[in-house]
Amino acid sequence: MLGIVVVVVIIAVIGFVIIGSYNRLVALNQKADQSFADIDVQLKQRNDLIPNLVETVKGYASHESGTLEAVTAARAAAAGATTVNEKVAADNMMTGALGRLFAVSEAYPDLKANTNFLELQRELSDIENKLAAARRFFNNAVAEFNAVRAQFPTVLIAGMFGFGADKPFFAVDATERATMNAAPPTVKF
């Protein structure tokens, strides 16, 4: 009789460990997916603003077609991205293209003074701030998921129930990293 009780207790403990680990993985996976959906919302808002911004800049700097085409191409890439990795790459492409677009605007004083351009620039800046916060939240959720997935005994449960490879992070791309590592600008008064 004691042997049966011990076996039942061991099976119950193993069952609780499996169920607890599975539920934790599901919850963390959902948290990471939900945080990525928040990023998607911000990216859509940014992509919706791009045509208005391009049209405004086009009116003042029509011969900057290369920069405008880069922004348009980045927007198309962002709209066509379906996987997390594609969206991360498209986001990096868009950030670079918008940086070049705003750098071009520095050469056109009339454009810089245009209220429509200033409003679009302010809205984009607001969205970029929200995106940065959403990326941090996503990266935290992914880090927690990846850490729990790799811990014992969850690593065994993750393999059994198909919680595959680590989720990717939003990270600074190589171009931006090179810019960040460059010498700081000299400020003179």
Side-chain angles (χ1 to χ4, degrees), residues 101-180:
L101 182 68
F102 288 124
V104 163
S105 71
E106 295 294 322
Y108 299 92
D110 291 342
L111 175 61
K112 282 177 44 179
N114 180 292
T115 55
N116 191 23
F117 178 75
L118 291 174
E119 180 62 24
L120 289 169
Q121 192 174 25
R122 188 194 59 74
E123 285 184 42
L124 275 174
S125 176
D126 186 44
I127 289 173
E128 290 296 328
N129 289 335
K130 290 177 182 174
L131 266 172
R135 287 181 193 123
R136 281 193 300 273
F137 187 78
F138 174 76
N139 283 346
N140 285 337
V142 166
E144 188 176 3
F145 174 81
N146 289 344
V148 169
R149 195 185 68 76
Q151 294 171 350
F152 184 80
T154 313
V155 68
L156 302 174
I157 310 313
M160 286 176 14
F161 291 105
F163 290 96
D166 286 349
K167 292 182 175 287
F169 289 98
F170 267 92
V172 176
D173 72 347
T175 307
E176 285 187 63
R177 186 166 306 283
T179 303
M180 290 179 344

Side-chain angles (χ1 to χ4, degrees), residues 4 21 31 87 129 140 171 189:
I4 293 174
S21 296
K31 183 179 175 184
K87 289 180 181 188
N129 289 335
N140 285 337
F189 295 100

